[in-house]
Amino acid sequence: MFFQQISDGGCQSYVVGCEATCSAVIIDPALDQADRYVGIANREGLRVRYIIETHTHADHFSAAQQLRERLGALIVMHRDSSAPYVDMRVEDGHLIAVGDLRFRVLHTPGHTRDSMSVQVEDRVFTGDALLIGGTGRTDLPTGDPDQLYDSLFGKLLRIDPETKVFPAHDYKGQGSTTIGAELAANPRLQKTNRAEFVEMMRNLNLSAPTHLTEALRTNMTGGKTVRQLLAEAAAGTPFMSLSELAERIGERRNDFVVLDVRERDAYARGHIPGARHLARGQLEMKVDENFPDPTLEILTVCEFGKISTLAAATLRQLGFRRAVALDGGMKSWRDAGHSLDSGEDPALLI
């Protein structure tokens, strides 16, 4: 069996394959590691058949959809998952056949309603149900401490004690554990009484994960992250350097327009000399009446260069094929010591 564990901060994902048939699965892939999974599959000559998500993640962005497009694999989740992009929904006791390997599904809710673990040969991938020295939290959407108690003491902890445990998170670099080791030393598992365990889980008072709402939104609906939108916009948008813009302003060039897409008060406090103002939120509604020539070169500007990149991409989609974004935004312009105008010139407001 081919096996490789991939760490992304504290998040853990896995490539597991049948060497006899060169077929494989990827378990809990993280978006930041998408290229790495593809590289591993190519290096090892593996055809990825399935992308298995053990649950709806709330603390990182899944690479499942991107990998499906790149590898032609099917996305597998428990039938209780609300994600609309799942290709194969499975239930407790189902087997996922990957060459000569058989991945057995164990429904282990508690951290989330759709949580499942996957057992193959001498190991089990427990998602966030059972961690190394801990368990998944139950205070996030669809979490339930009573269900987690049943999943642990009624299912996972009854597996052979020698079974290796590979969780979806490991923040201490331990890599893996065993069922027996967790039974013996995991402090949360010492609360074997249901009421005591539930009380403990309800009073952990943990802080919310970073990007909680964005991660849930994208992983539950199949939507895109803000970073993905920015990356897609940047991929199809050229940029103008600060030095190029400064040179053009010094030459008093009038063959292009600087369009500041920040809010009006930010524009008034300080903007590039001669820049016109049109807030990003009104761009689509007002751009045509103010710029009737679609061949005009329009340089979009914002504070840090992100909103202006989206604005330039939008302009290009609208037909302004020469739209370009300022590399670095107003902060970089100010830090470089370039000149500024302030106030609101009515002739420059759109």
Side-chain angles (χ1 to χ4, degrees):
M1 180 172 67
F2 174 82
F3 175 81
Q4 184 165 341
Q5 184 172 15
I6 298 95
S7 297
D8 183 49
C11 299
Q12 305 298 315
S13 53
Y14 306 90
V15 180
V16 186
C18 171
E19 294 179 307
T21 62
C22 296
S23 53
V25 303
I26 301 175
I27 301 173
D28 289 330
L31 187 59
D32 286 347
Q33 300 294 325
D35 289 340
R36 190 173 179 186
Y37 305 122
V38 175
I40 292 170
N42 290 339
R43 182 193 69 207
E44 301 296 329
L46 296 171
R47 170 70 183 276
V48 178
R49 299 292 184 182
Y50 300 105
I51 300 156
I52 301 175
E53 292 279 30
T54 58
H55 63 288
T56 300
H57 302 283
D59 57 353
H60 73 269
F61 305 115
S62 168
Q65 292 186 91
Q66 185 179 116
L67 292 175
R68 175 173 61 185
E69 293 178 6
R70 297 175 66 176
L71 299 172
L74 299 180
I75 298 174
V76 181
M77 294 189 75
H78 188 267
R79 69 178 178 88
D80 285 342
S81 170
S82 62
Y85 52 82
V86 177
D87 299 303
M88 188 168 79
R89 298 181 184 274
V90 293
E91 302 180 32
D92 190 71
H94 285 183
L95 295 177
I96 303 169
V98 182
D100 296 334
L101 299 177
R102 296 295 182 268
F103 292 77
R104 184 166 71 98
V105 174
L106 305 171
H107 187 205
T108 50
H111 174 61
T112 63
R113 182 176 57 244
D114 64 349
S115 289
M116 66 180 189
S117 300
V118 184
Q119 186 177 12
V120 58
E121 295 192 347
D122 64 344
R123 60 202 65 198
V124 60
F125 301 90
T126 55
D128 281 3
L130 177 60
L131 306 178
I132 303 174
T135 66
R137 60 195 297 169
T138 58
D139 59 336
L140 299 180
T142 76
D144 186 313
D146 267 299
Q147 289 185 340
L148 183 60
Y149 179 88
D150 290 333
S151 295
L152 292 170
F153 292 98
K155 192 168 292 184
L156 283 173
L157 299 178
R158 295 187 178 185
I159 297 174
D160 185 335
E162 298 300 316
T163 302
K164 298 175 184 177
V165 174
F166 292 92
H169 291 93
D170 170 26
Y171 297 100
K172 297 181 180 179
Q174 299 176 75
S176 68
T177 181
T178 65
I179 293 293
E182 294 309 301
L183 276 168
N186 189 322
R188 292 191 189 177
L189 301 184
Q190 307 316 304
K191 301 283 188 180
T192 57
N193 176 271
R194 177 187 292 272
E196 292 180 356
F197 179 85
V198 169
E199 180 69 14
M200 172 188 65
M201 295 304 299
R202 286 178 174 165
N203 291 281
L204 293 178
N205 297 317
L206 301 173
S207 59
T210 305
H211 308 302
L212 169 65
T213 55
E214 186 182 12
L216 286 174
R217 173 183 61 78
T218 57
N219 294 335
M220 290 177 69
T221 67
K224 294 181 179 180
T225 67
V226 173
R227 187 167 59 179
Q228 282 177 299
L229 290 175
L230 286 169
E232 291 174 4
T237 302
F239 294 85
M240 183 179 292
S241 68
L242 300 177
S243 59
E244 171 68 17
L245 176 58
E247 183 178 338
R248 290 192 182 196
I249 291 175
E251 295 173 352
R252 298 183 180 277
R253 296 263 297 271
N254 62 359
D255 56 348
F256 77 110
V257 171
V258 178
L259 186 64
D260 194 317
V261 297
R262 296 175 298 165
E263 294 302 314
R264 189 165 173 174
D265 58 343
Y267 172 83
R269 287 195 297 270
H271 54 266
I272 292 169
R276 301 186 69 178
H277 176 261
L278 174 57
R280 172 64 187 89
Q282 302 180 52
L283 183 65
E284 290 88 343
M285 298 296 102
K286 294 187 175 183
V287 67
D288 286 327
E289 62 185 82
N290 288 277
F291 300 107
D293 181 4
T295 66
L296 177 67
E297 185 178 21
I298 302 176
L299 171 66
T300 57
V301 179
C302 70
E303 186 63 23
F304 299 106
K306 294 181 179 180
I307 302 301
S308 57
T309 300
L310 293 172
T314 297
L315 287 172
R316 286 183 163 250
Q317 291 171 354
L318 291 172
F320 293 87
R321 299 299 184 185
R322 298 181 65 204
V324 58
L326 181 64
D327 189 17
M330 285 301 301
K331 184 179 187 307
S332 296
W333 180 263
R334 290 193 302 270
D335 291 347
H338 294 301
S339 60
L340 294 169
D341 280 352
S342 60
E344 299 179 353
D345 182 344
L348 297 175
L349 300 177
I350 297 175

